[in-house]
Amino acid sequence: MKTEKTDYLVIGLGPAGMACTLMAHSMGLNVTAIEKRKIGGECLNYGCIPSKALIKACKVKYWSEHANNFGLAPATLKPVSVFKRVRDVVYTVNQEKTSKLFEKVNVILGEHARFIDPYTVETDNHRITAKKIFLCLGTRPRLPSEVKGFSSIPYLTNETVFDIDDIPESIIVLGGGPIACELGQCFRRLGSNVTLINKASRLLPKAEELASSVLEKVFREEGITVVNGANVVQFERAQDKVKALLDDGRIFEGDTVLVAIGREFDYRDLKLENAGVNHDSSGIKVNDYLETSQKHIYAVGDCNGYRLFTHAAMHQGMCAIMNSLIPGWMWFMKRKFKNYVVPWSVFTEPEVSSVGYTEAELIRLGIKYDSEILYYADYGRALADACETGFVKIYFKRGVKPVILGATIVGENSSEMIQEWALAIQKKLTLYDIMFLQHSFPTFGFLSKRVPESWMMRTLQEKAFLKAFIKRWANFS
């Protein structure tokens, strides 16, 4: 097999790999990319894009059936080809948009990569040597294989759920994280009886506790059975049904099971040991610059175990490429990828978004803070749009310089609103900066401006000396 040479070799064409490949190619570098499945990886094919297409369909159905909230006659919508439309969207984005970006890039598709040595990778039909190598490998759904009876039941993951056409009459959702919550609500809105069995004590355990409680309340109101703090110890097949037996003796039944209990790493086929790349069950080990134990090999995105989000993977891809071009003696110009804040959103209804510290983290770290909260129900636009559920809660340093530390937003458009707070934390801005920035009214983003205004008015009310000072100054002027 003839050895091919390239400047940069990218393994995996998910969000991280696409960022690395396209950025390097745009710089005029010779790039080869290997993808064993589909361009776009998890996000485009099995995650972000199809799930948002499904969520939109379910939202249309739900609000049509609740049109009385707007003084309209409700309409019952029947799912006809919801999942086909989802697949059509994925095809369009993949084939007609994304794939065209790689027409001038050397892409090896449908072949597995494995290391021969630290600089050489072999596929089924190619042997490639590269100066720099970027591992953009992603993760896969973790399965509860240890649970008795699991191997005998029908189940879905985010990789297979969009291939179905028939809506199950009942479904058991394992998990309480973003995928479980988003798809659980979707199936309920499509007409399934949904039982969500969550090992953690609350939904979205990494979110603010108030955010979890608001979302759970909405879920229960929509008819989702939420079971927190529960472990499935056994699955059984009973005719056409699946039974889940919990450790407390309860039994729940469904037509199928959707598994959404987290992600796992499996890089055995890649033969990382041949390259001398250190890794363990938590991912591939990297330093501040995304370099592995082999300085010319970078691990980018989910595979390094840090913040498993699509946007984090893309951002790391950009940082890795930039760092790879800077010689070692100019280390001070390299980008430390953990220095950048990572906002995240869950696209349930209401949406849940967060950036920076949560209250639990601030308490654990002993950081002195104050907070301000504003509820959607107190804002006219939210009432007009019939989406009063939600809040904006901001954490900031105490004292005369209220630097913003963290933000949690639950409610309509929170996934868009959180960007402003991410920039504020990134740039170490204060509440004053947000307060004196004019926001278009009556956008939902205007709620962000109202938070520091509310804080300012509360502070004036609580500080008697400030009120006295202002009164005397007004008289003096």
Side-chain angles (χ1 to χ4, degrees):
M1 187 183 297
K2 183 179 178 181
T3 300
E4 306 166 28
K5 294 183 179 181
T6 187
D7 295 329
Y8 280 21
L9 174 63
V10 179
I11 303 177
L13 275 177
M18 288 193 296
C20 288
T21 302
L22 294 175
M23 191 170 181
H25 177 70
S26 68
M27 292 177 175
L29 295 166
N30 183 16
V31 186
T32 297
I34 303 171
E35 171 54 52
K36 65 181 179 181
R37 299 174 77 181
K38 298 178 180 179
I39 293 176
E42 189 82 12
C43 174
L44 195 160
N45 297 289
Y46 316 108
C48 310
I49 301 305
S51 66
K52 301 312 160 285
L54 179 63
I55 287 168
K56 186 66 174 184
C58 295
K59 188 176 289 189
V60 170
K61 181 177 185 295
Y62 179 83
W63 283 109
S64 296
E65 294 167 352
H66 292 79
N68 56 299
N69 290 330
F70 303 95
L72 303 170
T76 301
L77 301 184
K78 181 181 178 181
V80 177
S81 55
V82 171
F83 285 93
K84 179 183 181 302
R85 191 257 174 184
V86 170
R87 294 191 292 271
D88 289 344
V89 168
V90 171
Y91 179 85
T92 299
V93 174
N94 196 321
Q95 298 299 317
E96 298 181 17
K97 306 294 182 181
T98 307
S99 294
K100 290 184 178 180
L101 298 173
F102 295 88
E103 288 178 347
K104 295 182 180 180
V105 179
N106 182 27
V107 176
I108 299 172
L109 199 58
E111 297 188 26
H112 293 259
R114 54 193 171 273
F115 275 101
I116 303 300
D117 60 49
Y119 289 90
T120 309
V121 170
E122 193 174 80
T123 70
D124 302 337
N125 300 296
H126 301 267
R127 175 173 287 184
I128 305 155
T129 182
K131 298 174 184 177
K132 300 286 176 72
I133 300 175
F134 299 81
L135 306 178
C136 309
L137 308 170
T139 55
R140 69 180 188 184
R142 190 175 80 79
L143 301 177
S145 304
E146 73 282 358
V147 178
K148 185 179 179 181
F150 175 73
S151 60
S152 66
I153 66 167
Y155 68 89
L156 301 166
T157 68
N158 70 291
E159 293 186 347
T160 58
V161 67
F162 303 109
D163 292 332
I164 69 172
D165 287 307
D166 298 326
I167 312 299
E169 182 179 330
S170 58
I171 187 169
I172 296 171
V173 179
L174 291 187
I179 296 174
C181 288
E182 288 180 3
L183 295 182
Q185 187 178 46
C186 281
F187 275 106
R188 180 65 195 126
R189 290 182 167 189
L190 289 172
S192 299
N193 292 317
V194 177
T195 301
L196 195 154
I197 301 175
N198 177 28
K199 185 177 182 179
S201 60
R202 57 185 175 89
L203 300 178
L204 303 179
K206 294 184 179 180
E208 290 285 348
E209 190 168 345
L210 179 59
S212 299
S213 63
V214 168
L215 187 61
E216 184 171 330
K217 182 175 183 292
V218 169
F219 276 16
R220 294 187 187 278
E221 288 173 350
E222 292 192 15
I224 297 173
T225 301
V226 179
V227 185
N228 289 320
N231 285 300
V232 177
V233 295
Q234 185 175 345
F235 288 105
E236 292 181 356
R237 291 289 298 271
Q239 296 179 345
D240 294 331
K241 298 290 184 181
V242 176
K243 289 185 177 181
L245 286 67
L246 305 190
D247 51 4
D248 61 7
R250 286 179 291 176
I251 300 175
F252 293 94
E253 190 175 87
D255 293 318
T256 189
V257 174
L258 172 64
V259 179
I261 56 174
R263 315 291 298 177
E264 67 180 10
F265 309 90
D266 184 5
Y267 310 133
R268 287 172 294 183
D269 293 343
L270 191 57
K271 303 295 183 184
L272 290 174
E273 61 275 11
N274 292 344
V277 174
N278 293 338
H279 65 286
D280 59 23
S281 60
S282 64
I284 298 173
K285 301 303 177 183
V286 295
N287 62 14
D288 288 341
Y289 310 115
L290 293 160
E291 298 166 342
T292 68
S293 49
Q294 296 283 357
K295 298 301 182 183
H296 69 287
I297 301 178
Y298 297 77
V300 187
D302 286 9
C303 65
N304 62 42
Y306 179 77
R307 302 299 181 98
L308 277 61
F309 299 115
T310 294
H311 49 282
M314 294 183 200
H315 189 271
Q316 288 178 31
M318 178 177 64
C319 290
I321 290 294
M322 293 174 67
N323 289 341
S324 72
L325 297 170
I326 299 172
W329 63 272
M330 296 180 67
W331 57 267
F332 53 89
M333 292 185 63
K334 292 187 176 184
R335 304 277 177 159
K336 294 183 178 181
F337 77 103
K338 290 184 180 179
N339 283 353
Y340 299 92
V341 299
V342 184
W344 56 266
S345 297
V346 181
F347 296 87
T348 48
E349 195 170 21
E351 294 179 346
V352 178
S353 302
S354 182
V355 67
Y357 292 114
T358 63
E359 187 166 25
E361 290 170 334
L362 290 167
I363 293 172
R364 177 172 55 82
L365 295 171
I367 299 174
K368 293 182 179 180
Y369 69 95
D370 200 353
S371 65
E372 193 70 25
I373 188 169
L374 196 69
Y375 295 94
Y376 272 57
D378 295 326
Y379 183 47
R381 171 66 189 276
L383 296 173
D385 280 21
C387 51
E388 308 96 307
T389 299
F391 63 87
V392 181
K393 189 172 185 180
I394 308 301
Y395 296 101
F396 47 93
K397 287 185 179 179
R398 291 178 183 172
V400 295
K401 192 176 182 182
V403 176
I404 298 158
L405 299 171
T408 292
I409 309 177
V410 176
E412 186 79 0
N413 286 341
S414 78
S415 59
E416 305 294 338
M417 295 164 63
I418 202 66
Q419 320 299 345
E420 176 177 13
W421 295 102
L423 180 62
I425 295 171
Q426 186 73 56
K427 295 298 183 180
K428 297 180 172 55
L429 302 183
T430 69
L431 288 181
Y432 302 121
D433 294 303
I434 302 298
M435 184 170 67
F436 284 103
L437 175 67
Q438 294 193 52
H439 290 63
S440 178
F441 181 85
T443 60
F444 283 96
F446 193 85
L447 274 166
S448 292
K449 175 178 171 62
R450 287 189 60 184
V451 172
E453 291 176 344
S454 174
W455 165 77
M456 177 62 76
M457 290 185 284
R458 175 172 64 84
T459 301
L460 292 174
Q461 290 294 323
E462 292 177 352
K463 306 295 185 181
F465 75 92
L466 283 176
K467 293 174 67 177
F469 174 79
I470 291 170
K471 187 173 182 179
R472 294 189 68 177
W473 184 264
N475 291 333
F476 174 78
S477 62

